[in-house]
Amino acid sequence: MSFAPIQSASGANRTGGGSAALHGAIEQLFGAADAAAVTEVCERLLAVFGIAGRLRWRLHGDSWIPDPGVRQVDLADDPQGLRTVVLEYAGAPVGSGAEADIAWLGRIVSTRLRQLAETARLYEAISRLALAERLQRALYAIAEQAGTDQNMPDMMRALHGIVGSLMYAENFYIVLYDEANDSVRFPYYVDTMDRDPPSPDESVLLREIQYSLTWNLLKSGQPIMGSIDEVAQLLQGQLVPIGPNCEHWLGVPLLREGRVVGGIVMQSYRADTRYTSSDRELLTYVAQHVQTALERRAAHAELERRVTDRTAALREANRVLRQQVLQRQRGERLQAALFRIAEMASAPESLEGFYAAVHRIISGLLYARNFYIALVDEDNQLLTFPYSVDEVDSVRPPRSHGRGATEYVLRHGKPLLADPAEIDRLVALGEIRQFGTRSVCWLGVPLVWNERVMGVLAVQSYSPEHTYSARDQELLTFVSYHIANALQRKHTTESLKQAYASLERRVDERTRALALANRDLREQIAERERVERRLKYETLHDSLTGLPNRTLLLQRLDHALTQYKADPQRLFAVLFIDLDRFKVINDSVGHLVGDDLLFQVGGRIRACLKTRDLVARLGGDEFAVLLDGIAGEEMPLQIAERIITELQVPFRLGIKEIFTSASIGIALPSPHYQQPEELLRDADAAMYSAKDDGRHRAALFDDRLRHEAMSLLEMEGDLRRALSRNEFVPYYQPVVSIADGCIVGYEALLRWNHPERGLLSPGDFLIVAEESGCSESIDWQIFDQVFAQTLALTRGEGFISINVSGRHFRLPDLDERLLAAMERHNVPASCIRIEVTERALLENPPQVKRMLENLRQRGIMISLDDFGTGYSSLSYLHQYPIQTLKIDRSFITELPSDIAHLDGNQGFAVVRGIQVLADSLQMQVIAEGIEEEYQREALLRIGTRYAQGFLFSTAQPASRWLGPGAPTRLPFAAA
């Protein structure tokens, strides 16, 4: 490309139209969204200045040399990309005017690039904060479910939705284990493929599902995750699948005091949806909160059941009491009837009037429209009817003894309650031969005196609406005795006294029973009111510290926010307090001491506040304070410092002296707050900011924290969308022979083709990916692409190295998953190398060693990456199956540029020592970060055969190394 000599247009071009173009270009520069847009605007500015030249990006450390006669001027550095925008032009040096224009342009370009870098950093911080906030909201929602009025199925459906907001949970069920009966129950079960789900109310003996996934989860008490084949290998054959086979399975136990009481299980039937170790850890953490919510809800349900049972008992007692009242009323009526009979026995009225009065009395006790009295006339051997009222047989003349129903009662001396069927039965037996007009129901009782049956008292009904029962028989029999006694005038007085005394005794007994029942009823009502008051208190207070809980805090906070909206001068503040390193205290001295510490912390915080201020425990080691009636932001900061100072004083817990500190976040009201939860959320965010700044301090929520939270949220969303869109791609940096530049292999490096920000390196997003749990999924996406391109890149001779982080080695089946992926793409084991760091070897040595040995036995070579920057323990080199050492670039940069002074250089000695060590162990050495020719020459003198770095090539997409024209040898300065 040819260049025109550079000239300054400081004069003419800045007047008139040139000045307007300049201003417009500057406005576009500060509105540019990325570095590429900045360079486009710069080119227009150069045109405005009349400067003919070309802009390009130069990576830091790039040794590119321009063509002869081409001059370079560095305009500005890009903090995001570790690169510099360079102006290239041909001709003589620029004049002073053009030089000033170029310097001025470099300053404003540098300012805009720094602004873009700061904006990207804020977005990343907001994404991290959003992840923490979402988990916190989920835990809050789980805790709130225990206090809602929903029934258990609705509560579990809500828990399903909460877990589904954190991870894929389309197929989800909860199993509860009854240790006493050794049975399980599935109170909540959602499965899109299972056509025969278990009943939520049906218990199943555990032995009936022996060796199933659920059985293994409950028996082991440990989380289980993987496909059916992976879990079967993990369980060593103790697996009998039940139900539809899923693509991936994740289950975690529910524990109470170390004992398994149930489990939470999620299944995926999608081949592209698998659970990760982050999902497992997150579900394990969330499961304990779910268990707590289920226990609290079960306790609440049990209390409601007891209240319901008590109410039912009271209702039954009331029913019995009403029956007793009715019985007493019937007794009173019966008593009145007996009194009337006694009065009639002594009254001087005729016998006909006595019979009629008896009829009226009996009619007051039961249906007696048809009534007659039959008496035995011993003198004439006749059966007489001195009184008879009947709607059919109006006249009953005397008759001789026969086989009628009346004679049956006289003969047997006992009552007879007969319907037509009973009469027919007695007729069939020969007991009765004749019967008057057939009635629907007939009741007769004997009249006995002097232990002899002297007559019959009978009632009958011709209508189905009126029938008699055994109770009516007993009543009429009872009355018949008194009528008989009334007929016996000699025994009337004594009989009446006995009956009266008996009735009085019964009335007294029933009265005392009624008084006792009323007293019990009042006591039970008082107990229920006490239980209701206790339930209301427990709903609004923390059971451990006795402080108000989140529910009461949010009520008071909502009231304060309402008052603030009505009068903005009524300020208040929310303090979110979190104890620093409380988990360390809990793990070291135990939960009992930790609970005692939380109780004392609550008391000390309360002592630092005014009476009208509210302190609440939110859960765990988190407290919140509502300061009412503050004058400004200085007052909550002073109170926060007072609380921090008070918590510095050692706590005496038994014989132990415990030290702790606190980090406090403060949120003040403003018009944009609509819900009290938003204030609590922002105070929580400020608390995390205080922790990030070194803990043991207070921080006030401001716009910077809000922007950081939004940036983190956006970055996390971009990462998850990038996974679904396959935006992550591998770039390959060649590993070459130092002597001749021949390519012997490649290292696969992660890149992100962001649709808006362009190509991003791992440093721009990897921290957010790890915190959001996406990093493992991203790696597996890269692994699959690398394996798909391996055969084309290596051509059956070279190799490709993939970086496996320590997180992957937490999975017990990492080696088998890698081998399975290679087998799917028909990749030979000799074409793949695994690069691990020393830190990965430290996290779980036995498991890592087992997996690396398995991979080595299958033909995959193992490389130790960044050797020399970690512990550099020689034990790694013989304990693990390592074949290649990769010298970190930090040692390469220490090599001197003067080849003549290599022997006295410390960096040269270190690299030579590593090479000698590797040669003695028959290991291969690859030097990283070769950027200068003198470094290559120094490595040649040491004896290092292979290297990679910008001297040979930067990381490039696979298309650069494929095809007929792809290079197999890379040029360098000495070649």
Side-chain angles (χ1 to χ4, degrees):
M1 175 179 180
S2 62
F3 297 90
I6 191 164
Q7 296 178 354
S8 173
S10 302
N13 287 341
R14 297 193 186 182
T15 63
S19 178
L22 176 63
H23 289 298
I26 293 174
E27 290 179 358
Q28 292 177 1
L29 177 64
F30 282 95
D34 53 25
V38 170
T39 57
E40 291 178 3
V41 176
C42 286
E43 290 175 351
R44 287 197 290 273
L45 280 171
L46 289 174
V48 171
F49 293 153
I51 298 173
R54 181 182 64 181
L55 294 178
R56 76 173 188 87
W57 289 101
R58 184 186 67 211
L59 296 176
H60 291 181
D62 191 353
S63 59
W64 183 83
I65 299 175
D67 296 335
V70 176
R71 299 181 183 276
Q72 290 185 345
V73 178
D74 292 346
L75 284 183
D77 291 332
D78 182 6
Q80 297 187 74
L82 298 179
R83 56 185 181 173
T84 301
V85 61
V86 179
L87 170 63
E88 295 181 347
Y89 65 91
V94 300
S96 59
E99 183 177 356
D101 290 339
I102 293 172
W104 174 80
L105 179 60
R107 288 193 297 272
I108 63 172
V109 169
S110 179
T111 299
R112 183 53 185 163
L113 290 176
R114 285 196 300 272
Q115 290 175 350
L116 291 174
E118 180 65 17
T119 301
R121 186 185 66 80
L122 290 177
Y123 283 150
E124 293 176 2
I126 290 173
S127 298
R128 291 194 298 271
L129 183 60
L131 174 63
E133 179 185 354
R134 190 178 64 179
L135 176 59
Q136 189 70 24
R137 283 184 176 178
L139 298 182
Y140 289 162
I142 291 172
E144 289 174 356
Q145 287 301 316
T148 61
D149 295 332
Q150 296 178 341
N151 54 31
M152 188 62 74
D154 290 341
M155 174 186 170
M156 291 191 175
R157 193 175 297 108
L159 293 177
H160 180 190
I162 294 169
V163 174
S165 68
L166 299 175
M167 62 190 73
Y168 174 75
E170 181 180 10
N171 305 285
F172 176 92
Y173 67 84
I174 297 176
V175 58
L176 298 180
Y177 175 54
D178 184 357
E179 186 177 5
N181 299 323
D182 196 29
S183 63
V184 295
R185 184 169 61 87
F186 298 86
Y188 185 78
Y189 190 95
V190 175
D191 193 293
T192 58
M193 302 297 292
D194 198 343
R195 303 307 179 193
D196 186 20
S199 172
D201 300 323
E202 181 180 353
S203 295
V204 180
L205 293 177
L206 191 59
R207 63 172 177 268
E208 295 181 9
I209 59 171
Q210 189 173 17
Y211 298 131
S212 66
L213 285 169
T214 304
W215 182 89
N216 280 282
L217 175 65
L218 297 177
K219 284 298 183 180
S220 66
Q222 299 294 326
I224 298 178
M225 184 180 73
S227 64
I228 295 299
D229 295 337
E230 293 168 350
V231 174
Q233 183 176 3
L234 176 65
L235 300 178
Q236 298 179 353
Q238 288 190 347
L239 175 63
V240 178
I242 297 178
N245 287 335
C246 61
E247 291 291 335
H248 214 251
W249 198 88
L250 173 59
V252 298
L254 296 176
L255 303 176
R256 183 194 301 129
E257 297 177 356
R259 295 182 294 105
V260 178
V261 298
I264 296 179
V265 176
M266 300 189 302
Q267 305 181 77
S268 171
Y269 295 101
R270 302 178 179 178
D272 60 344
T273 303
R274 300 174 67 90
Y275 298 104
T276 66
S277 59
S278 296
D279 294 334
R280 179 183 60 198
E281 294 171 0
L282 179 59
L283 186 60
T284 302
Y285 179 68
V286 171
Q288 302 312 310
H289 291 267
V290 172
Q291 169 64 15
T292 301
L294 290 177
E295 289 183 353
R296 288 183 59 191
R297 188 56 186 268
H300 183 73
E302 175 63 19
L303 186 58
E304 288 184 345
R305 184 192 64 78
R306 292 176 60 188
V307 171
T308 302
D309 293 345
R310 184 65 58 86
T311 303
L314 292 178
R315 188 179 295 110
E316 177 64 20
N318 189 30
R319 185 188 65 80
V320 173
L321 182 61
R322 288 197 301 269
Q323 290 180 348
Q324 291 175 349
V325 170
L326 293 175
Q327 186 175 358
R328 180 177 179 180
Q329 292 175 349
R330 286 194 295 269
E332 290 176 350
R333 289 198 300 271
L334 178 59
Q335 183 180 7
L338 296 178
F339 286 159
R340 179 62 180 154
I341 291 173
E343 290 175 355
M344 289 188 304
S346 58
E349 62 179 319
S350 64
L351 195 58
E352 288 78 5
F354 172 77
Y355 291 145
V358 168
H359 184 194
R360 289 193 298 270
I361 292 171
I362 293 177
S363 296
L365 299 177
L366 51 88
Y367 178 77
R369 182 175 182 179
N370 304 290
F371 171 83
Y372 71 84
I373 297 175
L375 296 177
V376 176
D377 184 357
E378 293 182 341
D379 295 337
N380 299 317
Q381 297 296 314
L382 294 175
L383 183 62
T384 62
F385 300 91
Y387 183 84
S388 175
V389 175
D390 195 283
E391 56 185 334
V392 177
D393 297 330
S394 58
V395 178
R396 295 181 185 274
R399 70 168 183 258
S400 300
H401 293 278
R403 285 284 184 178
T406 305
E407 287 85 348
Y408 178 86
V409 175
L410 289 173
R411 189 166 58 251
H412 292 278
K414 62 181 182 180
L416 174 62
L417 176 61
D419 55 12
E422 180 66 13
I423 294 296
D424 293 340
R425 188 184 70 83
L426 294 176
V427 169
L429 293 175
E431 293 285 347
I432 296 177
R433 293 180 183 175
Q434 60 187 22
F435 197 83
T437 303
R438 282 292 186 101
S439 60
V440 175
C441 192
W442 189 91
L443 173 60
V445 296
L447 295 173
V448 180
W449 61 79
N450 293 331
E451 298 181 356
R452 294 176 59 193
V453 179
M454 300 302 295
V456 175
L457 195 67
V459 293
Q460 55 186 338
S461 170
Y462 298 103
S463 172
E465 298 178 357
H466 301 287
T467 58
Y468 302 107
S469 63
R471 180 179 179 80
D472 296 328
Q473 176 183 318
E474 293 176 0
L475 179 61
L476 190 59
T477 301
F478 180 72
V479 173
S480 70
Y481 291 147
H482 293 274
I483 294 175
N485 290 335
L487 294 174
Q488 287 185 294
R489 293 181 178 275
K490 292 184 181 180
H491 305 287
T492 298
T493 304
E494 184 65 25
S495 298
L496 287 176
K497 288 182 179 179
Q498 292 177 359
Y500 182 78
S502 175
L503 286 175
E504 284 292 333
R505 184 175 63 255
R506 292 178 62 190
V507 169
D508 290 341
E509 291 175 355
R510 295 295 171 84
T511 303
R512 287 194 297 270
L514 181 61
L516 291 174
N518 286 333
R519 187 190 65 185
D520 292 342
L521 182 61
R522 287 192 297 270
E523 291 178 352
Q524 291 169 359
I525 291 174
E527 174 66 16
R528 181 173 182 178
E529 291 176 348
R530 187 190 66 80
V531 169
E532 289 177 351
R533 289 193 299 271
R534 182 62 183 174
L535 279 175
K536 183 176 180 181
Y537 179 84
E538 290 179 352
T539 301
L540 298 176
H541 289 79
D542 177 53
S543 59
L544 174 62
T545 62
L547 296 174
N549 60 10
R550 176 183 296 274
T551 302
L552 182 54
L553 172 67
L554 290 177
Q555 291 177 2
R556 290 283 300 275
L557 190 55
D558 184 59
H559 179 68
L561 189 58
T562 302
Q563 289 183 331
Y564 169 78
K565 290 181 179 179
D567 182 9
Q569 299 301 322
R570 300 191 62 172
L571 295 177
F572 64 93
V574 179
L575 275 63
F576 197 103
I577 306 171
D578 184 86
L579 299 183
D580 297 329
R581 302 175 65 253
F582 177 75
K583 185 178 185 302
V584 176
I585 297 175
N586 239 8
D587 294 342
S588 59
V589 298
H591 290 278
L592 293 179
V593 176
D595 290 346
D596 194 6
L597 174 61
L598 292 175
F599 181 82
Q600 294 193 27
V601 166
R604 290 194 183 183
I605 296 175
R606 176 72 266 178
C608 297
L609 306 175
K610 298 179 182 178
T611 305
R612 64 183 180 181
D613 297 331
L614 176 71
V615 56
R617 179 174 179 241
L618 304 181
D621 60 336
E622 294 178 343
F623 296 84
V625 173
L626 173 60
L627 301 177
D628 197 9
I630 63 172
E633 67 180 38
E634 293 299 327
M635 185 175 178
L637 286 171
Q638 293 173 0
I639 294 176
E641 292 297 334
R642 188 188 311 161
I643 293 173
I644 292 173
T645 303
E646 183 65 24
L647 295 181
Q648 277 186 306
V649 179
F651 291 84
R652 176 63 63 179
L653 305 176
I655 61 173
K656 296 183 180 295
E657 190 176 54
I658 303 298
F659 293 85
T660 187
S661 62
S663 299
I664 302 178
I666 304 172
L668 298 176
S670 64
H672 75 274
Y673 286 114
Q674 299 298 324
Q675 299 295 330
E677 291 85 353
E678 297 174 359
L679 276 161
L680 198 62
R681 174 202 65 197
D682 290 347
D684 186 16
M687 181 273 294
Y688 277 106
S689 176
K691 283 187 177 292
D692 293 339
D693 291 340
R695 302 185 179 182
H696 187 56
R697 64 190 66 226
L700 186 66
F701 186 82
D702 53 17
D703 290 337
R704 179 184 61 83
L705 292 177
R706 184 176 291 108
H707 292 327
E708 289 180 355
M710 293 178 60
S711 177
L712 284 174
L713 180 62
E714 182 176 350
M715 175 60 78
E716 181 184 350
D718 288 348
L719 283 171
R720 297 193 181 279
R721 286 189 291 271
L723 275 172
S724 62
R725 298 171 182 171
N726 294 321
E727 293 177 359
F728 299 100
V729 295
Y731 268 47
Y732 298 93
Q733 185 176 37
V735 178
V736 303
S737 172
I738 295 179
D740 53 12
C742 289
I743 298 176
V744 298
Y746 301 92
E747 179 181 0
L749 300 174
L750 170 63
R751 294 294 185 269
W752 180 7
N753 277 327
H754 196 284
E756 299 176 358
R757 299 171 57 188
L759 189 67
L760 300 180
S761 61
D764 297 325
F765 60 87
L766 197 56
I767 294 178
V768 178
E770 291 177 350
E771 292 179 352
S772 62
C774 298
S775 60
E776 286 83 359
S777 300
I778 293 173
D779 287 346
W780 282 107
Q781 196 173 93
I782 293 299
F783 293 164
D784 280 337
Q785 295 183 57
V786 170
F787 294 155
Q789 298 168 354
T790 296
L791 292 177
L793 284 170
T794 60
R795 301 177 179 86
E797 296 180 357
F799 64 87
I800 296 180
S801 296
I802 59 174
N803 292 279
V804 181
S805 67
R807 289 176 176 266
H808 289 288
F809 285 99
R810 296 174 187 172
L811 298 174
D813 59 344
L814 169 64
D815 49 347
E816 297 300 332
R817 289 185 62 184
L818 285 172
L819 292 170
M822 293 170 59
E823 185 176 354
R824 287 197 305 271
H825 295 283
N826 297 319
V827 177
S830 60
C831 294
I832 296 298
R833 290 190 182 183
I834 302 297
E835 291 193 12
V836 297
T837 61
E838 296 180 45
R839 182 176 180 182
L841 302 179
L842 285 174
E843 291 184 354
N844 190 355
Q847 180 169 302
V848 174
K849 182 179 179 181
R850 175 185 59 79
M851 289 189 286
L852 291 180
E853 288 179 346
N854 184 30
L855 293 172
R856 184 67 192 98
Q857 291 173 1
R858 300 291 185 92
I860 297 176
M861 297 186 69
I862 311 299
S863 299
L864 185 58
D865 197 11
D866 299 334
F867 182 74
T869 60
Y871 294 93
S872 301
S873 174
L874 298 181
S875 61
Y876 300 153
L877 303 181
H878 68 83
Q879 287 183 7
Y880 296 93
I882 297 172
Q883 291 79 38
T884 303
L885 298 180
K886 299 194 73 173
I887 303 177
D888 187 72
R889 70 184 306 274
S890 60
F891 296 105
I892 304 302
T893 57
E894 295 297 326
L895 294 174
S897 58
D898 188 357
I899 303 300
H901 296 84
L902 286 178
D903 293 336
N905 181 264
Q906 185 176 3
F908 180 79
V910 171
V911 175
R912 182 171 57 187
I914 295 174
Q915 181 66 51
V916 172
L917 175 63
D919 291 341
S920 63
L921 296 175
Q922 296 182 350
M923 292 183 179
Q924 189 182 84
V925 174
I926 299 175
E928 295 182 299
I930 310 302
E931 299 179 358
E932 302 293 342
E933 173 60 24
Y934 69 83
Q935 296 171 346
R936 187 189 73 86
E937 294 178 0
L939 291 171
L940 277 175
R941 292 187 57 179
I942 293 172
T944 304
R945 297 180 57 193
Y946 304 104
Q948 61 185 94
F950 293 162
L951 178 63
F952 306 104
S953 175
T954 60
Q956 300 289 334
S959 59
R960 171 69 176 83
W961 311 111
L962 295 175
T968 58
R969 176 193 294 256
L970 296 175
F972 47 87

